[in-house]
Amino acid sequence: MTTTATPTGTSFDDLAAGLRGELITPTDPGYDQARAVYNAMIDKRPAAIARCRDTVDVIACVRFARERGLELAVRGGGHNAAGLGVWDGALVVDLSAMRSTTVDPEQHTVRADAGCVWGDVDHATVGFGMATPSGFLASTGVAGLTLGGGIGYLTRRFGLTVDNLLEADVVLADGSFVKASENSHSDLFWALRGGGGNFGIVTSFTFRCHDIGEHGTIIGGPVLYDVADTADVMRWYRELLPSLPEELSGWIGLITVPPAAPFPEELWGRGACAIVWCYTGPHDRADEVLEPIRAFGSPMLIGLHDMPFTVLQSAFDGLYPAGLQWYWRADFFNEISDAAIDVHCRFGASLPTGHSTMHLYPIDGAAARVPESATPFSYRDGGWAGVIVGVDPDPANAELISQWARDYWEALHPTSAGGAYVNFLMEEGQDRVRASYRGNYDRLAAVKGRYDPDNVFHINQNVRPATDSGAVAT
């Protein structure tokens, strides 16, 4: 294919000729599809999109952009809340075609290319009765979730995703290639475990895996309570969760019951306080462990069943396909206070659309035993990562869902720990980025100064490079 000069005045012919993958520019028929990301509220027009097939393609893109002074954006699974995998006028390094996985069942490891989504990894590992901690949707990208920290169903038992990262292949800002691990480029390896895409383009990850359930079968699913019971449910949940064995985890949220199977038709459209549970321990202990859950309150639905872990991980993918409008606000919480519960009750009773929701994800157990300075992810106080999302298919409702999320967050934020999970941030400014890394920010800035002193990788939740004097560049 022969390309033409883009509106930036750059010809991409040389780059296109040297790629194994495809180079897409604004004049190509597939351009609009290629620039679309999971959040349809994002509408960016990059100068070109390089669908890389291997690490050499990635190196070629970085060198091409550096030589021509082009902005670089990096896209993995495309789930990023702020849509930072695309950018106006940038060369997008699209890793989505790089999706191979390799499992070593004897060593309990999996290697995943950076274009994989978690469904790819779970498919590869759960067949061997293993998994690595990930998120809550199978369609989420491995790269973005990992680089931000990685909170999921297995976090209480096995830690964050970054706590299970063993090695990463990385293309640096000068186009060179390194392997980062505890024994090689250890400072870079530290920074990658929660510091986002600030330090290079990771082209593959190697994770530690763990045996789960019985041959990969867990017991899990939702328990739904009427939204009017939210206060009682949240007070019970906040006391119960820390006392549970780490094989059992559950996130709590405020939802509208989806009008779809397997939810009973008489519940469709009702407001609910939901807890989605996941038990990965021995099945002969399940009745004992789950007894306090089955015994509490007056649930509208108890949907706990044996299932492959892959089923739980993908359970909500169909309800949240790519192409919806999303507006995110988030915070960490050390506790679910009575003041916070009052806010949740108020806004949970007025969800603006059927897809709009609030979730609280626990960060305790194994994750809380890791020192906060061991990785950039510093909020390991045994609390929760909270997220408020206004979601709807109709662009006409974009302002409605955004205002609801902003109002909810502004009311709730005074009860928070200050910062937020970087994977949930929109474009909210440097103060929010700093607050999200707390005491680890300065070390991140120092590593950034060594590996990306020119801030080539800045279309992200940006950590600005420290200068030789130790000051952070503005």
Side-chain angles (χ1 to χ4, degrees), residues 31-106:
Y31 174 74
D32 284 337
Q33 181 178 356
R35 69 185 180 90
V37 290
Y38 186 75
N39 182 359
M41 205 176 282
I42 307 302
D43 183 20
K44 302 291 188 181
R45 301 190 65 85
I49 301 159
R51 282 228 174 101
C52 298
R53 294 289 300 276
D54 54 26
T55 298
V56 174
D57 278 1
V58 176
I59 292 170
C61 289
V62 172
R63 290 177 176 172
F64 182 89
R66 291 298 304 269
E67 289 167 0
R68 289 159 179 79
L70 290 171
E71 297 271 29
L72 267 177
V74 185
R75 171 178 173 159
H79 257 247
N80 181 265
L84 297 174
V86 291
W87 200 254
D88 288 333
L91 171 60
V92 173
V93 181
D94 185 340
L95 307 172
S96 61
M98 299 169 60
R99 289 181 70 164
S100 71
T101 58
T102 305
V103 177
D104 185 332
E106 292 187 0

Side-chain angles (χ1 to χ4, degrees), residues 76-202:
H79 257 247
N80 181 265
L84 297 174
V86 291
W87 200 254
D88 288 333
L91 171 60
V92 173
V93 181
D94 185 340
L95 307 172
S96 61
M98 299 169 60
R99 289 181 70 164
S100 71
T101 58
T102 305
V103 177
D104 185 332
E106 292 187 0
Q107 296 298 316
H108 273 60
T109 62
V110 60
R111 180 186 179 277
D113 284 347
C116 288
V117 296
W118 282 105
D120 299 325
V121 177
D122 293 334
H123 174 79
T125 60
V126 173
F128 292 99
M130 306 185 307
T132 197
S134 54
F136 301 94
L137 289 172
S139 59
T140 302
V142 167
L145 181 128
T146 299
L147 293 172
I151 305 165
Y153 287 111
L154 305 181
T155 291
R156 297 191 74 233
R157 187 175 182 190
F158 300 122
L160 303 173
T161 306
V162 292
D163 300 332
N164 294 274
L165 182 64
L166 300 174
E167 185 178 84
D169 292 344
V170 191
V171 176
L172 300 177
D174 62 0
S176 62
F177 172 82
V178 299
K179 285 184 175 289
S181 68
E182 291 282 8
N183 301 315
S184 175
H185 294 274
S186 58
D187 55 345
L188 174 63
F189 185 63
W190 176 85
L192 293 174
R193 287 178 290 165
N198 278 286
F199 309 95
I201 302 176
V202 179

Side-chain angles (χ1 to χ4, degrees), residues 120-290:
D120 299 325
V121 177
D122 293 334
H123 174 79
T125 60
V126 173
F128 292 99
M130 306 185 307
T132 197
S134 54
F136 301 94
L137 289 172
S139 59
T140 302
V142 167
L145 181 128
T146 299
L147 293 172
I151 305 165
Y153 287 111
L154 305 181
T155 291
R156 297 191 74 233
R157 187 175 182 190
F158 300 122
L160 303 173
T161 306
V162 292
D163 300 332
N164 294 274
L165 182 64
L166 300 174
E167 185 178 84
D169 292 344
V170 191
V171 176
L172 300 177
D174 62 0
S176 62
F177 172 82
V178 299
K179 285 184 175 289
S181 68
E182 291 282 8
N183 301 315
S184 175
H185 294 274
S186 58
D187 55 345
L188 174 63
F189 185 63
W190 176 85
L192 293 174
R193 287 178 290 165
N198 278 286
F199 309 95
I201 302 176
V202 179
T203 57
S204 76
F205 302 81
T206 301
F207 300 102
R208 180 187 302 110
C209 294
H210 304 270
D211 295 327
I212 58 165
E214 310 230 343
H215 309 294
T217 298
I218 59 92
I219 298 172
V223 178
L224 305 182
Y225 305 87
D226 190 276
V227 71
D229 296 333
T230 295
D232 290 340
V233 174
M234 284 190 167
R235 291 189 185 100
W236 166 76
Y237 168 82
R238 72 183 179 189
E239 302 300 328
L240 175 71
L241 190 85
S243 71
L244 294 174
E246 291 173 7
E247 294 87 354
L248 179 61
S249 187
W251 60 263
I252 189 168
L254 298 170
I255 70 167
T256 301
V257 179
F263 299 101
E265 191 168 348
E266 63 269 20
L267 298 182
W268 290 2
R270 286 186 61 174
C273 182
I275 307 177
V276 181
W277 295 102
C278 177
Y279 174 68
T280 59
H283 285 205
D284 59 7
R285 290 192 56 227
D287 286 345
E288 173 191 353
V289 172
L290 294 170

